[in-house]
Amino acid sequence: MGRPMAANLLAAGADLVVYNRSRPARDELAAQGAASAGSPAEVASRADLIITMLPDDAAVRAVVRDELLPAARPGALIVDMSTVTPELSRELAADAASRGVRMLDAPVSGGDVGARAGTLSIMVGGDAADLERARPALEVLGGSIVHCGPAGTGQVVKACNQMVVAITIGGISEALVLGTRLGVDPRTILDALSGGLAASRVMEVRRANFLGHAFTPGFRVDLHHKDLDIALASGGQANVPLPLTAGLQQLFRQLRAAGRGSEDHTAVLAALEAQAGLGPSARYPLNAEKESG
């Protein structure tokens, strides 16, 4: 996600200093005009607006708390666009404030497609004035920018988003397994659903994944599993039952147990097909025996 986002900032004329743990991504951005840094701390020492895109709490804690904050200039603004727990975002915002550094949590939705196109949905927690300061950069990255409230609320809304996306993927997958098992072509099912109340952005953007069983990420099962862990933990803290989210988490867990955690989250379809006894060679058959009976 971070590489196409950085490329979009470069294309918009930003003076960019980049760091990535994997050297090829840094070299690719350097070839496009970015300055390559040797560490996150070097980025912080050279920039007034710092954007992070990292996979989980442990990575954000290590990079932001241990490297960026000690090296950041007074008055610098850190925009963490990772998906992490609301508690961590609030903790880091307080730590940043004690050092004279500003911070926003700004997780995104839209996946790899939105990152490349600059059409991400950005959910922002933190001070409204800090959002206005970051807005010119965020407008390059996203088509929707919503201020959700104080620190941590961007992560709360992102957890809600990930619940809805997972449940939508699960609903589409169940519909495809049932409809095609009963003899309807999956393209016809998606065409019909797309024209009515069941239509969704997930169905539009991930249509090729569902129809072609193309589970190259995209957005990985492992990451969505982590995001639902955040949502379910928040539900536990707030004493809010989340039965649909819990059910989808079990499907992601089934995929991870089968060694498929690095596949796209639409692989939920494959998990449900397995439960229905549909192997690759028998996928979507007309049930001739039932039809004749």
Side-chain angles (χ1 to χ4, degrees), residues 162-254:
Q162 295 303 82
M163 292 163 55
V164 172
V165 171
I167 292 165
T168 303
I169 289 172
I172 294 168
S173 298
E174 283 198 345
L176 285 171
V177 171
L178 175 64
T180 53
R181 184 67 178 253
L182 295 176
V184 182
D185 187 278
R187 291 169 183 79
T188 301
I189 296 170
L190 292 185
D191 288 345
L193 296 181
S194 296
L197 189 59
S200 70
R201 180 70 172 155
V202 171
M203 195 181 299
E204 175 189 345
V205 173
R206 295 305 197 207
R207 179 183 173 94
N209 298 69
F210 288 120
L211 293 180
H213 287 73
F215 302 132
T216 301
F219 190 74
R220 287 187 284 123
V221 166
D222 283 337
L223 291 176
H224 211 146
H225 181 272
K226 178 264 297 183
D227 293 351
L228 294 191
D229 273 347
I230 293 171
L232 291 167
S234 297
Q237 293 162 9
N239 199 30
V240 174
L242 302 172
L244 298 180
T245 301
L248 265 297
Q249 182 70 321
Q250 292 302 310
L251 290 172
F252 285 127
R253 195 163 295 168
Q254 176 183 334

Side-chain angles (χ1 to χ4, degrees), residues 18 33 39 62 72 161 183 286:
V18 298
S39 67
N161 179 89
L286 283 169

Side-chain angles (χ1 to χ4, degrees), residues 23-183:
R23 187 59 188 257
R26 268 189 285 161
D27 291 343
E28 179 182 322
L29 291 167
Q32 297 175 46
S36 179
S39 67
E42 183 182 346
V43 172
S45 71
R46 298 172 62 180
D48 294 316
L49 174 63
I50 304 158
I51 297 174
T52 52
M53 176 57 85
L54 297 159
D56 54 30
D57 278 39
V60 170
R61 189 176 286 110
V63 171
V64 176
R65 185 191 64 191
D66 298 343
E67 298 219 43
L68 295 181
L69 287 178
R73 304 170 179 178
L77 173 58
I78 299 173
V79 182
D80 180 34
M81 304 189 78
S82 318
T83 296
V84 296
T85 58
E87 292 78 12
L88 179 59
S89 290
R90 288 191 287 266
E91 171 193 321
L92 291 176
D95 192 358
S98 72
R99 299 168 182 260
V101 176
R102 309 300 299 171
M103 188 159 182
L104 297 171
D105 51 285
V108 304
S109 179
D112 58 321
V113 174
R116 291 193 299 269
T119 57
L120 294 167
S121 172
I122 306 174
M123 297 150 265
V124 185
D127 189 82
D130 293 331
L131 170 55
E132 292 312 304
R133 180 177 164 191
R135 186 176 292 276
L138 297 183
E139 286 179 341
V140 173
L141 304 176
S144 170
I145 302 167
V146 177
H147 185 217
C148 302
T153 57
Q155 300 296 351
V156 171
V157 176
K158 176 59 186 290
C160 295
N161 179 89
Q162 295 303 82
M163 292 163 55
V164 172
V165 171
I167 292 165
T168 303
I169 289 172
I172 294 168
S173 298
E174 283 198 345
L176 285 171
V177 171
L178 175 64
T180 53
R181 184 67 178 253
L182 295 176

